[in-house]
Amino acid sequence: MADSTTSKAPSTGTAPRRSWWGWGAENKALSDAECSALGRLLPGAPNAPLPVPDVSALALPKVRVEPPTELAPLMSDAPRDRASHTYGKAYRDVVRALRGDLSAAPDQVARPRSEQDVVDILDWAAGAGVAVVPFGGGTSVVGGVEYRADRHRGVVSLDLTAMNQVLEIDRTSRAARIRAGVLGPALEAQLRPHGLTLRHFPQSFEYSTLGGWLATRAGGHYATLHTHIDDLVESLRVVTPVGVNQSLRVPGSGAGPSPDRLFLGSEGTLGVITEAWMRLQDRPRHKASATVVFDDIVSAMDAVRAIAQSGLHPANCRLLDPGEAALAGVAHKGESILVLGEESAHSPVEERLATLLALARDHGGTPAARESGGADTAANTWRSAFLKMPYLRDGLARMSVISETFETACTWDRAPQLYAAVRSGLTEILEEVTGAAGTINCRFTHVYPDGPAPYFTVIAPGRRGSEVAMWDEIKSAAMSLLHEHGATVTHHHAVGRDHRPGYDLQRPEPFALALRAAKQALDPAGILNAGVLLDPAGILNAGVLLDPAPSHDVDDRTVSVRSERRE
């Protein structure tokens, strides 16, 4: 018989207040002095950072809709709530928030406490012609939580973070039923007393929710095997405008197309994920890490391919190119660095790590010296830099420096060519857009037997007042390059609105027809996250058919994929 227990969500205590305009906690953001010091390292940066606006002084748009009396206790139109739910955390979001541009602010922020609250909010919104944007933790970097459709009478941001409990733990099957609004740290805190872990740690872990991970098919920190949240799902419970979808909880099924797969990655366009049964693991007790130095990036790629195809499935297998290694502070002489890690809940891992290091040596790698006790200084330095990087990005934004990250995946036969083509093509674009070659770095975040997931970072001088337009042009060019070289538009950041042009090129048209039909069937009033994945088509708004023949513009920016640049 399963050992079924219920956990209570831990108290938030005195957790630091979230930044309304940028990443993470307010008290971890770079100070004005730190931003200025950062700017002095970059030629052409302004002398002073953009000031952070006082949220109480912001000119927010007038509230257009009021909730009915029975829903009013769940809603807020307070300025800080509306401001902090306007955008995600992409570079263009941060810059617009710093400039006080909150024209897309939702009219209300809803915080349901139960599934019935979600049902009631969707029922009201469908009848009132009000758009609903599921928010999760708000860490989207692809425009996934910003309303741009301008086709509804109002907008509600649906924040599920009050629904944050682990409801049931099946220790025998090593699984748990979990509410979708739980943030990463609170989830792990509720599992820890049972010796269990979900083992899913995206970079946004501290500020993102289980529901957000599921809705965007998020990738975790672990680099091989179960890299995406998809692999950890037993079943989902989803509230749609036409009913509740509850899939059967089993370890596997061949009964037709998977109902869970319909909602995984649907990004809040088909329904609101309220609960999930998730596969858990015993918490690891044995860990070891090491770094390997390579003089040649192609040899390093060959080593990573050998490791990915070995069947050893290391927890960490991240390759940093020379620029990324220097940015992280783990190399300074043009070396590429491979960060390896092993872990187990049951047995020592040193022998497995030694096998991985031997594979790396076979391809020209030199393991770095490790401290007594097995600690690896370079690996720890990289990990610290990895967690601080979003705050550094915000500091660059305040100094009007363009900073963009994008990730992809390709097969191994294309990896060296893709790496070279992106660096070459983006150098040309940066010179055209910014007047400087800028910095283009890359790391492999995840690796598979058949290919890697390269993650690129672009830093270049911007022009104050033109940062968003410049970022948009670089983003468009990056999508073109990926499409031309047979790589996906996103490996784990999701589609949102910013990746729509690339997604439209990648998605087969028969599947697009099926997705449109699913949208019409599940969300006939067209209220859920309009413009994500699909154009709003034939939205029935309080009995009035709006936009029966919509244009194919992605949003107000009308971003186009600029393949002509490469011709």
mmCIF file of all heavy atoms in Angstrom, residues 331-358:
data_model
loop_
_atom_site.group_PDB
_atom_site.id
_atom_site.type_symbol
_atom_site.label_atom_id
_atom_site.label_comp_id
_atom_site.label_asym_id
_atom_site.label_seq_id
_atom_site.Cartn_x
_atom_site.Cartn_y
_atom_site.Cartn_z
ATOM 1 N N ALA A 331 38.624 30.781 -16.783
ATOM 2 C CA ALA A 331 39.736 30.664 -17.732
ATOM 3 C C ALA A 331 40.028 32.040 -18.313
ATOM 4 O O ALA A 331 39.122 32.871 -18.441
ATOM 5 C CB ALA A 331 39.402 29.682 -18.856
ATOM 6 N N HIS A 332 41.291 32.274 -18.668
ATOM 7 C CA HIS A 332 41.672 33.615 -19.135
ATOM 8 C C HIS A 332 42.681 33.590 -20.285
ATOM 9 O O HIS A 332 43.174 34.635 -20.691
ATOM 10 C CB HIS A 332 42.256 34.425 -17.970
ATOM 11 C CG HIS A 332 41.333 34.522 -16.791
ATOM 12 N ND1 HIS A 332 40.237 35.346 -16.763
ATOM 13 C CD2 HIS A 332 41.346 33.868 -15.597
ATOM 14 C CE1 HIS A 332 39.601 35.212 -15.595
ATOM 15 N NE2 HIS A 332 40.269 34.318 -14.878
ATOM 16 N N LYS A 333 43.005 32.405 -20.805
ATOM 17 C CA LYS A 333 44.026 32.305 -21.842
ATOM 18 C C LYS A 333 43.487 31.662 -23.121
ATOM 19 O O LYS A 333 44.230 31.024 -23.860
ATOM 20 C CB LYS A 333 45.214 31.500 -21.319
ATOM 21 C CG LYS A 333 45.899 32.139 -20.118
ATOM 22 C CD LYS A 333 47.068 31.287 -19.630
ATOM 23 C CE LYS A 333 47.741 31.933 -18.424
ATOM 24 N NZ LYS A 333 48.875 31.098 -17.903
ATOM 25 N N GLY A 334 42.188 31.817 -23.366
ATOM 26 C CA GLY A 334 41.604 31.284 -24.586
ATOM 27 C C GLY A 334 41.244 29.816 -24.521
ATOM 28 O O GLY A 334 40.985 29.184 -25.548
ATOM 29 N N GLU A 335 41.190 29.233 -23.313
ATOM 30 C CA GLU A 335 40.845 27.831 -23.196
ATOM 31 C C GLU A 335 39.317 27.656 -23.206
ATOM 32 O O GLU A 335 38.568 28.547 -22.842
ATOM 33 C CB GLU A 335 41.363 27.231 -21.875
ATOM 34 C CG GLU A 335 42.770 27.626 -21.500
ATOM 35 C CD GLU A 335 42.764 28.753 -20.488
ATOM 36 O OE1 GLU A 335 42.155 29.811 -20.769
ATOM 37 O OE2 GLU A 335 43.374 28.546 -19.406
ATOM 38 N N SER A 336 38.886 26.472 -23.599
ATOM 39 C CA SER A 336 37.512 26.035 -23.392
ATOM 40 C C SER A 336 37.494 25.152 -22.152
ATOM 41 O O SER A 336 38.448 24.417 -21.892
ATOM 42 C CB SER A 336 36.992 25.256 -24.603
ATOM 43 O OG SER A 336 36.907 26.093 -25.737
ATOM 44 N N ILE A 337 36.424 25.231 -21.389
ATOM 45 C CA ILE A 337 36.331 24.509 -20.125
ATOM 46 C C ILE A 337 35.108 23.595 -20.138
ATOM 47 O O ILE A 337 33.994 24.032 -20.469
ATOM 48 C CB ILE A 337 36.218 25.485 -18.937
ATOM 49 C CG1 ILE A 337 37.438 26.407 -18.886
ATOM 50 C CG2 ILE A 337 36.060 24.720 -17.627
ATOM 51 C CD1 ILE A 337 38.746 25.713 -18.563
ATOM 52 N N LEU A 338 35.318 22.340 -19.777
ATOM 53 C CA LEU A 338 34.224 21.384 -19.613
ATOM 54 C C LEU A 338 34.008 21.158 -18.116
ATOM 55 O O LEU A 338 34.933 20.777 -17.398
ATOM 56 C CB LEU A 338 34.559 20.061 -20.301
ATOM 57 C CG LEU A 338 33.578 18.905 -20.090
ATOM 58 C CD1 LEU A 338 32.187 19.265 -20.604
ATOM 59 C CD2 LEU A 338 34.094 17.639 -20.776
ATOM 60 N N VAL A 339 32.784 21.422 -17.655
ATOM 61 C CA VAL A 339 32.422 21.215 -16.251
ATOM 62 C C VAL A 339 31.648 19.907 -16.155
ATOM 63 O O VAL A 339 30.593 19.753 -16.782
ATOM 64 C CB VAL A 339 31.572 22.377 -15.708
ATOM 65 C CG1 VAL A 339 31.236 22.156 -14.237
ATOM 66 C CG2 VAL A 339 32.293 23.710 -15.895
ATOM 67 N N LEU A 340 32.171 18.964 -15.392
ATOM 68 C CA LEU A 340 31.549 17.653 -15.221
ATOM 69 C C LEU A 340 31.082 17.479 -13.781
ATOM 70 O O LEU A 340 31.735 17.955 -12.847
ATOM 71 C CB LEU A 340 32.531 16.534 -15.570
ATOM 72 C CG LEU A 340 32.958 16.420 -17.032
ATOM 73 C CD1 LEU A 340 34.112 15.435 -17.175
ATOM 74 C CD2 LEU A 340 31.772 15.995 -17.894
ATOM 75 N N GLY A 341 29.971 16.787 -13.598
ATOM 76 C CA GLY A 341 29.486 16.503 -12.259
ATOM 77 C C GLY A 341 28.767 15.168 -12.209
ATOM 78 O O GLY A 341 28.090 14.779 -13.173
ATOM 79 N N GLU A 342 28.931 14.464 -11.104
ATOM 80 C CA GLU A 342 28.239 13.202 -10.878
ATOM 81 C C GLU A 342 27.551 13.256 -9.520
ATOM 82 O O GLU A 342 28.004 13.944 -8.601
ATOM 83 C CB GLU A 342 29.223 12.024 -10.896
ATOM 84 C CG GLU A 342 29.556 11.508 -12.285
ATOM 85 C CD GLU A 342 28.412 10.718 -12.907
ATOM 86 O OE1 GLU A 342 27.334 10.595 -12.283
ATOM 87 O OE2 GLU A 342 28.594 10.226 -14.037
ATOM 88 N N GLU A 343 26.456 12.506 -9.379
ATOM 89 C CA GLU A 343 25.770 12.432 -8.103
ATOM 90 C C GLU A 343 24.976 11.141 -8.020
ATOM 91 O O GLU A 343 24.607 10.553 -9.041
ATOM 92 C CB GLU A 343 24.849 13.626 -7.893
ATOM 93 C CG GLU A 343 23.704 13.702 -8.869
ATOM 94 C CD GLU A 343 22.746 14.851 -8.556
ATOM 95 O OE1 GLU A 343 23.216 15.935 -8.202
ATOM 96 O OE2 GLU A 343 21.527 14.634 -8.678
ATOM 97 N N SER A 344 24.722 10.685 -6.810
ATOM 98 C CA SER A 344 23.937 9.463 -6.611
ATOM 99 C C SER A 344 23.362 9.463 -5.201
ATOM 100 O O SER A 344 23.984 9.964 -4.251
ATOM 101 C CB SER A 344 24.811 8.223 -6.815
ATOM 102 O OG SER A 344 24.115 7.042 -6.433
ATOM 103 N N ALA A 345 22.188 8.883 -5.070
ATOM 104 C CA ALA A 345 21.584 8.714 -3.751
ATOM 105 C C ALA A 345 22.030 7.410 -3.100
ATOM 106 O O ALA A 345 21.762 7.199 -1.910
ATOM 107 C CB ALA A 345 20.060 8.724 -3.876
ATOM 108 N N HIS A 346 22.721 6.551 -3.843
ATOM 109 C CA HIS A 346 22.927 5.188 -3.369
ATOM 110 C C HIS A 346 24.384 4.744 -3.280
ATOM 111 O O HIS A 346 24.707 3.880 -2.466
ATOM 112 C CB HIS A 346 22.164 4.218 -4.273
ATOM 113 C CG HIS A 346 20.735 4.583 -4.461
ATOM 114 N ND1 HIS A 346 19.804 4.508 -3.446
ATOM 115 C CD2 HIS A 346 20.066 5.072 -5.551
ATOM 116 C CE1 HIS A 346 18.622 4.920 -3.896
ATOM 117 N NE2 HIS A 346 18.757 5.263 -5.169
ATOM 118 N N SER A 347 25.275 5.294 -4.103
ATOM 119 C CA SER A 347 26.645 4.759 -4.115
ATOM 120 C C SER A 347 27.635 5.868 -4.452
ATOM 121 O O SER A 347 27.274 6.871 -5.084
ATOM 122 C CB SER A 347 26.763 3.634 -5.147
ATOM 123 O OG SER A 347 26.417 4.100 -6.441
ATOM 124 N N PRO A 348 28.906 5.706 -4.057
ATOM 125 C CA PRO A 348 29.931 6.695 -4.400
ATOM 126 C C PRO A 348 30.052 6.885 -5.909
ATOM 127 O O PRO A 348 29.760 5.973 -6.691
ATOM 128 C CB PRO A 348 31.206 6.085 -3.809
ATOM 129 C CG PRO A 348 30.726 5.196 -2.718
ATOM 130 C CD PRO A 348 29.430 4.632 -3.201
ATOM 131 N N VAL A 349 30.488 8.085 -6.310
ATOM 132 C CA VAL A 349 30.490 8.435 -7.734
ATOM 133 C C VAL A 349 31.888 8.713 -8.286
ATOM 134 O O VAL A 349 32.034 9.036 -9.469
ATOM 135 C CB VAL A 349 29.590 9.669 -7.980
ATOM 136 C CG1 VAL A 349 28.133 9.354 -7.655
ATOM 137 C CG2 VAL A 349 30.072 10.860 -7.157
ATOM 138 N N GLU A 350 32.913 8.608 -7.465
ATOM 139 C CA GLU A 350 34.255 8.952 -7.922
ATOM 140 C C GLU A 350 34.694 8.098 -9.104
ATOM 141 O O GLU A 350 35.365 8.579 -10.022
ATOM 142 C CB GLU A 350 35.251 8.820 -6.776
ATOM 143 C CG GLU A 350 35.137 9.909 -5.716
ATOM 144 C CD GLU A 350 35.587 11.269 -6.209
ATOM 145 O OE1 GLU A 350 36.246 11.332 -7.267
ATOM 146 O OE2 GLU A 350 35.288 12.280 -5.550
ATOM 147 N N GLU A 351 34.343 6.812 -9.070
ATOM 148 C CA GLU A 351 34.754 5.929 -10.159
ATOM 149 C C GLU A 351 34.100 6.346 -11.475
ATOM 150 O O GLU A 351 34.742 6.350 -12.527
ATOM 151 C CB GLU A 351 34.404 4.484 -9.830
ATOM 152 C CG GLU A 351 34.948 3.481 -10.842
ATOM 153 C CD GLU A 351 34.722 2.050 -10.412
ATOM 154 O OE1 GLU A 351 34.599 1.798 -9.205
ATOM 155 O OE2 GLU A 351 34.665 1.180 -11.313
ATOM 156 N N ARG A 352 32.824 6.714 -11.435
ATOM 157 C CA ARG A 352 32.141 7.168 -12.647
ATOM 158 C C ARG A 352 32.745 8.472 -13.150
ATOM 159 O O ARG A 352 32.910 8.667 -14.352
ATOM 160 C CB ARG A 352 30.639 7.347 -12.379
ATOM 161 C CG ARG A 352 29.912 6.051 -12.054
ATOM 162 C CD ARG A 352 28.478 6.029 -12.581
ATOM 163 N NE ARG A 352 27.701 7.212 -12.299
ATOM 164 C CZ ARG A 352 26.827 7.308 -11.295
ATOM 165 N NH1 ARG A 352 26.688 6.306 -10.437
ATOM 166 N NH2 ARG A 352 26.129 8.396 -11.141
ATOM 167 N N LEU A 353 33.077 9.378 -12.218
ATOM 168 C CA LEU A 353 33.706 10.623 -12.632
ATOM 169 C C LEU A 353 35.064 10.350 -13.277
ATOM 170 O O LEU A 353 35.424 10.992 -14.276
ATOM 171 C CB LEU A 353 33.866 11.555 -11.431
ATOM 172 C CG LEU A 353 34.446 12.938 -11.727
ATOM 173 C CD1 LEU A 353 33.558 13.719 -12.688
ATOM 174 C CD2 LEU A 353 34.646 13.731 -10.440
ATOM 175 N N ALA A 354 35.812 9.389 -12.742
ATOM 176 C CA ALA A 354 37.113 9.040 -13.328
ATOM 177 C C ALA A 354 36.950 8.528 -14.753
ATOM 178 O O ALA A 354 37.773 8.830 -15.633
ATOM 179 C CB ALA A 354 37.807 8.000 -12.459
ATOM 180 N N THR A 355 35.885 7.776 -15.021
ATOM 181 C CA THR A 355 35.628 7.283 -16.380
ATOM 182 C C THR A 355 35.328 8.442 -17.331
ATOM 183 O O THR A 355 35.800 8.465 -18.481
ATOM 184 C CB THR A 355 34.457 6.291 -16.373
ATOM 185 O OG1 THR A 355 34.752 5.217 -15.474
ATOM 186 C CG2 THR A 355 34.214 5.728 -17.767
ATOM 187 N N LEU A 356 34.551 9.409 -16.856
ATOM 188 C CA LEU A 356 34.253 10.595 -17.671
ATOM 189 C C LEU A 356 35.538 11.364 -17.983
ATOM 190 O O LEU A 356 35.739 11.829 -19.120
ATOM 191 C CB LEU A 356 33.260 11.499 -16.944
ATOM 192 C CG LEU A 356 31.855 10.941 -16.710
ATOM 193 C CD1 LEU A 356 31.064 11.861 -15.783
ATOM 194 C CD2 LEU A 356 31.114 10.755 -18.031
ATOM 195 N N LEU A 357 36.397 11.531 -16.991
ATOM 196 C CA LEU A 357 37.660 12.251 -17.207
ATOM 197 C C LEU A 357 38.550 11.511 -18.199
ATOM 198 O O LEU A 357 39.242 12.143 -19.014
ATOM 199 C CB LEU A 357 38.376 12.446 -15.875
ATOM 200 C CG LEU A 357 37.707 13.413 -14.894
ATOM 201 C CD1 LEU A 357 38.428 13.404 -13.548
ATOM 202 C CD2 LEU A 357 37.665 14.827 -15.460
ATOM 203 N N ALA A 358 38.511 10.193 -18.163
ATOM 204 C CA ALA A 358 39.305 9.423 -19.125
ATOM 205 C C ALA A 358 38.807 9.659 -20.549
ATOM 206 O O ALA A 358 39.609 9.791 -21.490
ATOM 207 C CB ALA A 358 39.249 7.939 -18.770
#
